[in-house]
Amino acid sequence: MIDTNYHVFPKTDDAPMDAKWSIEEKPVYEIIKRLFDILLSLLVAIVAVPIIFVTCILVRLESKGSSIYKQERCGRFGKTFNVFKIRSMYIDAEREGPRWADKNDSRVTRVGKIIRRTRIDELPQLWNIIKGDMSIVGPRPERACFTEEFSKYIPDFRERLKVMPGLTGYAQVNGGYDITPKEKLQLDLKYIEKRSLLMDIKIILKTIKIVLTGQGAR
C-alpha cells in the first residue's frame, strides 16, 4: 500500500528548499514555449472537443460514473494541481488503494483500452496546458504519493519537478509505458538538461507517430 501521508518537499534548516532547484535558465525558450503551448492547444482543441464529447458518451454507455475525472498531480517545484482525463478505468478502480498502471491492467474498460492506445483519454489536459499547469512537452506529472514512494529508493526522482510537466515527454516517446520509474527518471533528466524548441518539436512529431501506430500504450 502506498503511504499517502507524504510531503513532496521535505524542508530542513541546513538545506533550503530553493537550493536544489538550480538549473540552466532559458528565458527566451520558456517564453516561446509558453506561446507555442497556448497556440497549439487552442488549434488542437477545435478538433479535440467533438472527439472528447463522443468519447464521454461511449464511456458512460459502458460503465457507470462520470466520464471526466480529475486527479491531483505534482507540477513544477512540487506545486500540486488537478489533471483532467477521460475515465478509462472502472469507477472503483482504486478501492484497494493507489496503484501504478501496468500494461495489461484489469481495471481498464473496453473503451478505456481504445482511448489509451490512441491517447484520447489525455485530450482534456489541453485545458491544463492553457491554464498554465502543464506544457505540451515535459516530464509526465506523477501523483504525489508515487513521487514520494519512488523517491525513497530512486535518488533524485524529485528532480523531474524542475520543469513544467507535459502532455507528452521524452520518456514517453523513447520508453513508452514499459519502462521502470528509474529508467523514466533518466530519460526525463536528459530532457531537462537538453531541452530546446527543436527537441520539443521532435518529441511532438514522434508522439503523433506513436498515436497513429498505437505503440507504447497500456
Side-chain angles (χ1 to χ4, degrees):
M1 183 71 68
I2 299 290
D3 179 13
T4 55
N5 295 315
Y6 49 78
H7 297 282
V8 178
F9 293 113
K11 189 175 182 180
T12 62
D13 294 336
D14 58 341
M17 187 181 295
D18 296 338
K20 63 189 299 183
W21 301 112
S22 57
I23 60 172
E24 182 184 354
E25 296 293 336
K26 299 182 178 183
V28 176
Y29 161 72
E30 295 292 345
I31 292 172
I32 296 175
K33 181 182 177 73
R34 178 61 184 148
L35 293 174
F36 179 77
D37 283 344
I38 295 172
L39 178 60
L40 185 57
S41 295
L42 290 173
L43 289 174
V44 174
I46 296 172
V47 177
V49 169
I51 295 174
I52 293 172
F53 180 74
V54 172
T55 304
C56 285
I57 293 175
L58 295 175
V59 169
R60 284 298 301 272
L61 288 174
E62 181 179 12
S63 62
K64 64 179 182 179
S66 175
S67 298
I68 299 288
Y69 79 96
K70 63 181 180 179
Q71 190 177 72
E72 191 174 82
R73 299 288 178 100
C74 285
R76 192 176 188 183
F77 303 132
K79 180 181 178 181
T80 57
F81 68 97
N82 287 319
V83 70
F84 296 95
K85 299 183 72 173
I86 300 177
R87 181 171 57 84
S88 59
M89 293 185 177
Y90 292 103
I91 201 70
D92 59 349
E94 294 199 333
R95 61 183 179 277
E96 297 179 358
R99 194 180 89 197
W100 222 37
D102 52 48
K103 187 174 182 179
N104 297 305
D105 203 315
S106 61
R107 299 172 298 169
V108 179
T109 65
R110 287 175 297 177
V111 172
K113 290 178 182 178
I114 296 172
I115 64 177
R116 280 176 170 237
R117 185 167 61 249
T118 56
R119 302 303 199 277
I120 289 174
D121 61 321
E122 310 284 3
L123 288 179
Q125 288 165 48
L126 290 171
W127 175 239
N128 288 114
I129 296 171
I130 294 170
K131 284 176 59 184
D133 297 325
M134 295 173 57
S135 176
I136 291 177
V137 179
R140 283 295 294 162
E142 285 290 358
R143 297 169 69 175
C145 58
F146 292 134
T147 297
E148 181 68 17
E149 184 70 15
F150 297 148
S151 296
K152 293 177 181 178
Y153 62 91
I154 304 175
D156 302 325
F157 191 81
R158 291 188 183 90
E159 297 294 294
R160 301 173 67 252
L161 304 178
K162 285 182 173 180
V163 297
M164 192 81 75
L167 179 64
T168 185
Y170 189 75
Q172 281 62 48
V173 300
N174 287 285
Y177 286 113
D178 293 328
I179 59 176
T180 65
K182 184 176 181 179
E183 291 169 331
K184 184 177 184 179
L185 171 64
Q186 293 170 341
L187 290 170
D188 285 335
L189 292 181
K190 184 175 181 180
Y191 169 77
I192 291 171
E193 179 186 359
K194 299 182 179 298
R195 68 195 190 285
S196 67
L197 192 59
L198 179 59
M199 188 176 189
D200 288 346
I201 292 173
K202 288 181 178 179
I203 291 172
I204 291 171
L205 293 176
K206 196 166 184 179
T207 300
I208 294 171
K209 179 182 178 181
I210 289 172
V211 168
L212 294 176
T213 60
Q215 296 174 355
R218 65 174 172 183

